[in-house]
Amino acid sequence: MLTKNIYLNSWIKEVSDLTNPKDIHICTGSIEEEETLKQILLNSKDMVKLNPEKYPNCYLYRSNPNDVARTENLTYICTSFKEEAGPNNNWMSPEEAHKKANSILKNSMSGRTMYVLPYVMGPLSSPYSKCGVEITDSPYVVLNMLIMTRAGSQALEKIEEIGGDCFTKGLHSIVDLSIEKRNILHFPEENLIISTSTGYGGNALLGKKCHSLRIGSWQARQEGWLAEHMLILGVQTPDDKIYYMAAAFPSGCGKTNLAMLKAPLEMKGYKVWTLGDDIAWLHLDKDGYLRAINPEAGLFGIVPGTSEKTNYNAYHSIMKDTIFTNVALNLDDMTPWWEGKDDKDPRSMNLVDWKGNPYTGEGPAAHPNSRFTTSIKNCPSYSSMAEDPEGVVLSAIIFGGRREQLTPLVMEAKNWTHGVFLGACAASETTAAATTKIGVVRRDPMAMKPFCCYNFSLYWNHWLSFKDKSLHLPKIFHVNWFRKENSKFIWPGFSDNLRVLAWIVDSCNGKDNKIYTPIGFLPKKDSLNLSNMNISDTTLDTLLSFNPTLWEKECSDILDYFSSFGNYKCDTLIKECLNIKEELQKWDK
Ligand code: GTP
Ligand code: SPV
Ligand code: MN
């Protein structure tokens, strides 16, 4: 008998009959197991051990160069009805998807070990947690999942205790890593994920985006909660109160950085606590407060740009017990290197680039989407509230994106419906986190474009439905750290973003710090703490004002976008947008 759960046993048998592995290993999460897995990757030269004095228990892994970011074009939602997946997703019929996967997976694990990895998303004893099992033939995936989730024996015990088919099934095989065989398939009606011919993070660590967001968003709609691409942080104020916030920014737009922000010197008495940097599950409690848990246990963060100066806490999170993927290696002292780590010229060092070749000075030495995997407990600003099974009560929800123009530094929603509108019309310039073209503005509602598993119109209606379920919902805000003039960022960002968070706290406390505009409340000019910032009045005007003519045009674009969801339409948001447009037409220009 493999496990005490017969459903799991029969699925394991089914998968091994198909993939034909040389053996089966049920992962426990023990230290010996971890060592064995590392040794396998060191022996095959896929992984290098880093300097044990400078980077204790740290490794550098190089993925196949064709496999370094999520492949949204190869990601499918396989529901019975195409319209349910919506125009926001690629769709494949479940029959076709199974047929395709079966032919790719036939004997795909032959000669390899099949790892069965039970995991729990969320604190083990949380009523909001969910179980999953990932079957994979990649030791790298197992090592990462052991950091990113609560995995191994403790998870299996929970799956055995609950019994039945209480877990999301995730089947992953690296096959031959060819792009032709790469598919990331989601079957929400079967609670199943199949991922083939890839080993990269969001494509292969199935607990992360595939389970916690895609399958998660489907379950959340059915069960009345929200699965979101959000960080969770706590802002401690000088009077020692902590205000919890969740923020949704698209991939590569600053979640990890904001989640572990270090207060600027001028803001004495303020501190940011880190609870999560990528995913939040939100539930209304019995009193109507919206509570957030982080389903993950680790950080899978972007390495380039991480320095003591820009992100002190991230920098110090990755000095030990960390797997680096696709960074450069300094051969002189076997330390990892990446663009933005320090002021050194990469050509002055004895570097091997992310592909494993001597660095020639052409292109970046570390891949722009190179990542670190480390336990969230390694983070100096980690808050043990992340282990609270009930989660934390949110005071604010923040949406954002990367917009060179148009969007002000911060705005506050007029009410819940307008807040959902602000989230739904968020747009952002694309980044290296996915293999699409970089730097193009695309709509990315609630930062969920790549992750919401069903029609966006239905998703927005689900968000809107919370209005009638509670009197204690958090306030909603929208931020943009990425305004540019003459190709330069005009807001310094990073630590200084705490000034915006402090303004949000003031607002939550009812302070009269804002002025009404059709697009939302904007800060009164003197309401932000800008001490020692050296920011000119004109720059501040650009950051805190809005252009009614450009916003009128934006509203037309948003209306076109809202109308592009087939037979499903979100009438409430369309009406919200029409009202704003009308107000803008009358606004003094
Ligand atoms: P994913 O892990 O892909 O979901 O990304 P993320 O949202 O966690 O983004 P992350 O914090 O890793 O930041 C991505 C990039 O944005 C990095 O290059 C950062 O240096 C940069 N960045 C983060 N915050 C700021 C900011 O306040 N201002 C500016 N200009 N850049 C920032
Ligand atoms: C993202 O792309 O939003 C990430 C990295 O956080 S991945 O795990 O690849 O999804
Ligand atoms: Mn992310």
Side-chain angles (χ1 to χ4, degrees):
M1 191 179 67
L2 292 158
T3 76
K4 290 188 207 134
N5 183 308
I6 51 164
Y7 285 86
L8 179 53
N9 292 349
S10 69
W11 182 53
I12 295 172
K13 172 143 190 339
E14 192 190 308
V15 173
S16 77
D17 286 349
L18 174 67
T19 59
N20 191 25
K22 88 170 180 298
D23 51 15
I24 299 175
H25 175 78
I26 313 278
C27 299
T28 61
S30 72
I31 293 179
E32 298 74 43
E33 182 181 76
E34 192 186 314
E35 287 310 314
T36 310
L37 291 163
K38 283 176 180 163
Q39 206 50 57
I40 292 170
L41 293 175
L42 292 172
N43 292 346
S44 64
K45 305 254 187 307
D46 290 305
M47 200 162 81
V48 179
K49 192 173 167 64
L50 296 172
N51 185 321
E53 270 93 49
K54 293 185 176 164
Y55 281 86
N57 195 28
C58 290
Y59 296 83
L60 187 164
Y61 175 87
R62 294 191 193 99
S63 70
N64 188 310
N66 80 16
D67 193 27
V68 293
R70 280 182 296 101
T71 41
E72 293 177 9
N73 56 326
L74 304 175
T75 300
Y76 291 88
I77 303 303
C78 312
T79 46
S80 309
F81 300 101
K82 185 174 180 183
E83 248 203 347
E84 195 137 27
N88 44 304
N89 281 300
N90 300 318
W91 178 83
M92 205 187 288
S93 78
E95 297 71 34
E96 188 191 342
H98 275 297
K99 210 169 131 208
K100 193 166 188 168
N102 281 348
S103 77
I104 293 170
L105 288 167
K106 186 135 188 55
N107 298 324
S108 73
M109 295 190 188
S110 64
R112 297 188 195 134
T113 298
M114 176 173 121
Y115 300 96
V116 178
L117 182 78
Y119 64 86
V120 173
M121 298 313 297
L124 283 173
S125 62
S126 172
Y128 308 131
S129 291
K130 299 274 187 192
C131 300
V133 177
E134 175 160 359
I135 294 184
T136 176
D137 54 4
S138 161
Y140 168 78
V141 164
V142 177
L143 280 172
N144 276 271
M145 283 287 287
L146 286 170
I147 300 173
M148 294 305 298
T149 69
R150 286 112 174 140
S153 303
Q154 46 181 0
L156 182 58
E157 269 164 37
K158 186 159 171 156
I159 288 166
E160 290 176 334
E161 206 180 287
I162 303 173
D165 56 353
C166 66
F167 55 93
T168 295
K169 298 188 287 245
L171 167 52
H172 168 252
S173 172
I174 52 176
V175 191
D176 57 10
L177 292 179
S178 65
I179 298 178
E180 299 73 53
K181 293 183 187 156
R182 191 166 299 161
N183 291 288
I184 327 297
L185 307 168
H186 303 74
F187 304 82
E189 291 149 353
E190 297 169 56
N191 201 5
L192 169 71
I193 305 152
I194 301 179
S195 163
T196 57
S197 212
T198 172
Y200 170 76
N203 282 348
L205 311 178
L206 299 185
K208 200 171 174 51
K209 297 306 192 341
C210 301
H211 179 167
S212 292
L213 288 180
R214 298 203 187 94
I215 299 292
S217 61
W218 180 275
Q219 292 176 335
R221 173 173 163 231
Q222 290 180 336
E223 297 166 10
W225 51 282
L226 296 163
E228 299 300 323
H229 191 200
M230 290 178 175
L231 65 91
I232 311 170
L233 59 75
V235 179
Q236 184 172 332
T237 50
D239 55 0
D240 281 348
K241 288 203 183 112
I242 300 181
Y243 299 81
Y244 293 99
M245 305 177 181
F249 310 149
S251 303
C253 293
K255 287 182 301 302
T256 300
N257 277 269
L258 189 69
M260 42 188 84
L261 176 159
K262 194 168 154 61
L265 291 175
E266 299 78 40
M267 296 195 67
K268 278 210 175 59
Y270 280 90
K271 180 181 163 61
V272 168
W273 293 97
T274 309
L275 288 84
D277 81 325
D278 200 48
I279 301 177
W281 284 354
L282 315 182
H283 290 80
L284 283 178
D285 68 15
K286 63 178 185 351
D287 300 315
Y289 290 95
L290 194 63
R291 287 178 173 270
I293 63 161
N294 173 9
E296 303 191 277
L299 309 167
F300 185 65
I302 299 173
V303 186
T306 307
S307 71
E308 278 213 285
K309 241 195 262 156
T310 55
N311 192 344
Y312 176 93
N313 285 318
Y315 192 83
H316 286 276
S317 304
I318 57 178
M319 299 301 283
K320 60 170 185 167
D321 308 324
T322 298
I323 300 171
F324 291 88
T325 301
N326 295 337
V327 296
L329 174 67
N330 183 344
L331 283 179
D332 285 339
D333 62 356
M334 294 302 279
T335 54
W337 194 84
W338 54 86
E339 277 68 20
K341 181 184 187 183
D342 46 40
D343 297 330
K344 286 189 192 141
D345 179 346
R347 287 165 303 188
S348 70
M349 286 177 277
N350 188 9
L351 285 189
V352 172
D353 71 9
W354 64 273
K355 291 183 185 164
N357 303 321
Y359 183 58
T360 58
E362 294 259 319
H367 189 276
N369 191 41
S370 50
R371 297 263 167 179
F372 56 77
T373 318
T374 200
S375 165
I376 191 169
K377 292 185 178 170
N378 260 7
C379 181
S381 54
Y382 167 74
S383 162
S384 59
M385 287 300 285
E387 280 297 325
D388 191 320
E390 300 299 329
V392 291
V393 173
L394 293 181
S395 301
I397 286 177
I398 307 172
F399 294 117
R402 185 184 276 269
R403 292 296 294 267
E404 284 190 18
Q405 302 298 329
L406 193 77
T407 318
L409 179 65
V410 56
M411 45 187 172
E412 179 177 331
K414 303 169 199 172
N415 49 47
W416 183 261
T417 302
H418 181 242
V420 175
F421 168 81
L422 288 181
C425 69
S428 197
E429 290 137 27
T430 48
T431 70
T435 55
T436 38
K437 195 164 177 271
I438 296 172
V440 229
V441 175
R442 72 164 180 184
R443 296 266 158 224
D444 194 347
M446 282 82 172
M448 285 287 277
K449 166 70 188 73
F451 310 119
C452 178
C453 171
Y454 61 100
N455 193 303
F456 261 145
S457 279
L458 299 173
Y459 170 74
W460 297 325
N461 277 331
H462 181 48
W463 261 89
L464 289 165
S465 74
F466 281 70
K467 178 169 122 322
D468 300 322
K469 293 185 197 153
S470 161
L471 296 171
H472 303 293
L473 292 172
K475 281 177 174 253
I476 300 181
F477 299 82
H478 189 287
V479 300
N480 177 22
W481 316 139
F482 299 94
R483 265 311 259 276
K484 276 189 182 169
E485 223 134 73
N486 303 322
S487 314
K488 285 214 176 88
F489 293 116
I490 58 170
W491 175 253
F494 300 102
S495 285
D496 288 310
N497 293 334
L498 183 57
R499 299 170 193 269
V500 174
L501 298 185
W503 184 87
I504 290 175
V505 168
D506 284 347
S507 212
C508 292
N509 283 329
K511 197 163 161 188
D512 175 21
N513 60 356
K514 50 189 171 273
I515 31 177
Y516 180 87
T517 83
I519 63 166
F521 291 102
L522 296 179
K524 284 185 178 166
K525 225 169 145 186
D526 59 357
S527 65
L528 278 161
N529 174 350
L530 300 174
S531 63
N532 280 342
M533 263 193 88
N534 195 14
I535 208 161
S536 77
D537 230 40
T538 5
T539 303
L540 199 58
D541 276 339
T542 312
L543 286 166
L544 300 185
S545 62
F546 80 105
N547 179 324
T549 315
L550 291 181
W551 271 93
E552 233 186 280
K553 155 118 196 7
E554 179 77 354
C555 282
S556 303
D557 289 354
I558 295 167
L559 283 169
D560 286 348
Y561 178 62
F562 285 171
S563 309
S564 66
F565 289 88
N567 287 331
Y568 294 110
K569 293 252 181 318
C570 185
D571 293 329
T572 313
L573 290 190
I574 291 176
K575 199 166 134 235
E576 186 76 20
C577 193
L578 284 169
N579 288 345
I580 295 171
K581 198 172 170 205
E582 206 179 295
E583 231 187 302
L584 282 165
Q585 279 157 359
K586 292 185 213 137
W587 198 257
D588 190 14
K589 287 176 189 157

